[in-house]
Amino acid sequence: MEVAFHAFTDMKSTQAKLFVTRCFTLSILLSATFFFLFFSFQSRRQTTTHHPPSSSSDELRIRPGYTSYESYINRQLNKTLNPKLRKVWTTRDWDRKIQVFAAFFAELREKRLLFNDSRALCIGARVGQEVEALRRVGVSDSVGIDLVPYPPLVLRGDFHHQPFDNETFDFEFSNVFDHALYPTRFVGEIERTLKPEGVCVLHVSVSKRADKYSANDLYSIRPLKALFRRSELVRVRTIDGFGLDTEVVFKKRK
């Protein structure tokens, strides 16, 4: 009886040890599976976060923080009225920017997208270097608009509400699309004031974020194609234009 009792006790001990071993092994497997799934999810999450947006709605993002249109205008005026910037624009940067703009416009004229007799508008022209450049390459009927006028080159005007009649211009140029709080309105005003078969040239940045005064961020040209509902995309090229990397050209349909 004593031998049988010891045998029974040994068997129960062995079974208990096997049970504990199996539980321990199972817990290790479950833990390993949990950590594998967790780190796989984190890895996918991090990878997705750093990918550029894929949909058109995500490729043009309006920056938050404007409580009213007035607050937006005041922020834009903080840059436009900055006395240090205005001094730089009218002295050190004056000739340099005119030369660069003149080269852009001369090339557009060679491609027959701009003509000497074109009536031209520069949108968000600050102190008017691009207007002066147009005049120097022979497009004499040129003017700019900005929130702060700079006579005689730049008139007072809000690009969300251009102060011109329908179908006024043959050519419109802007390098301030990123400052538009309402891109649909910005483009709508261009198409309203362009004549049929008129040309619009935008210089934009799609490879890096624009400056701190920008109201939107553009990640591809697809949103522009969607916004220009009455125009055809006729040209896209890479440029080096004062921090902007892409030139996009649209032609309004007849």
Side-chain angles (χ1 to χ4, degrees):
M1 286 292 293
E2 186 176 349
V3 173
F5 175 77
H6 283 300
F8 177 76
T9 304
D10 289 343
M11 183 179 67
K12 294 292 288 183
S13 176
T14 301
Q15 290 177 344
K17 289 179 180 179
L18 286 173
F19 178 76
V20 171
T21 301
R22 288 173 180 172
C23 288
F24 177 75
T25 303
L26 181 61
S27 68
I28 292 295
L29 290 173
L30 289 173
S31 298
T33 302
F34 170 78
F35 282 112
F36 174 77
L37 292 174
F38 175 78
F39 286 113
S40 296
F41 173 77
Q42 288 294 99
S43 176
R44 287 197 301 270
R45 183 180 176 184
Q46 290 173 0
T47 302
T48 303
T49 300
H50 289 90
H51 276 317
S54 57
S55 67
S56 292
S57 60
D58 287 336
E59 290 172 345
L60 176 58
R61 297 177 181 174
I62 305 302
R63 294 186 182 182
Y66 296 109
T67 57
S68 66
Y69 192 68
E70 183 181 4
S71 68
Y72 157 77
I73 292 294
N74 287 336
R75 179 159 177 77
Q76 297 305 308
L77 287 174
N78 285 339
K79 180 176 183 178
T80 306
L81 290 174
N82 185 307
K84 292 182 179 179
L85 287 176
R86 292 189 78 81
K87 184 176 181 180
V88 170
W89 294 336
T90 55
T91 54
R92 187 188 71 192
D93 279 1
W94 182 256
D95 288 328
R96 180 176 67 90
K97 287 195 172 184
I98 288 174
Q99 291 174 9
V100 173
F101 282 129
F104 284 135
F105 296 140
E107 201 272 343
L108 289 166
R109 191 174 56 183
E110 289 176 5
K111 298 296 183 182
R112 300 188 63 78
L113 295 168
L114 175 66
F115 302 90
N116 282 358
D117 61 354
S118 295
R119 189 174 186 188
L121 173 67
C122 296
I123 301 165
R126 305 300 187 197
V127 295
Q129 294 106 327
E130 51 266 71
V131 179
E132 180 63 23
L134 280 167
R135 294 181 180 186
R136 290 190 187 185
V137 300
V139 186
S140 58
D141 192 1
S142 303
V143 71
I145 58 169
D146 203 278
L147 293 173
V148 178
Y150 192 78
L153 299 175
V154 181
L155 307 176
R156 186 188 305 277
D158 180 348
F159 51 53
H160 290 113
H161 308 277
Q162 286 190 24
F164 306 108
D165 293 334
N166 296 347
E167 301 181 1
T168 297
F169 299 100
D170 304 290
F171 178 88
E172 297 193 26
F173 169 80
S174 184
N175 60 1
V176 297
F177 175 80
D178 58 294
H179 289 267
L181 183 61
Y182 302 110
T184 301
R185 185 68 180 177
F186 178 93
V187 172
E189 284 294 274
I190 290 174
E191 291 193 313
R192 179 183 68 79
T193 56
L194 265 182
K195 297 177 182 178
E197 297 192 283
V199 170
C200 172
V201 177
L202 298 181
H203 285 182
V204 298
S205 175
V206 295
S207 66
K208 62 180 181 179
R209 296 309 98 229
D211 68 34
K212 65 180 182 180
Y213 292 98
S214 298
N216 70 70
D217 291 304
L218 184 68
Y219 294 87
S220 86
I221 66 165
R222 282 188 288 270
L224 294 178
K225 292 171 65 177
L227 289 170
F228 278 86
R229 299 178 180 178
R230 301 166 61 188
S231 306
E232 299 290 342
L233 177 65
V234 297
R235 187 184 189 198
V236 179
R237 67 167 180 149
T238 300
I239 60 168
D240 181 10
F242 310 113
L244 306 177
D245 54 46
T246 305
E247 180 178 84
V248 189
V249 182
F250 291 91
K251 190 172 186 177
K252 186 176 175 180
R253 301 185 192 96
K254 292 183 180 179

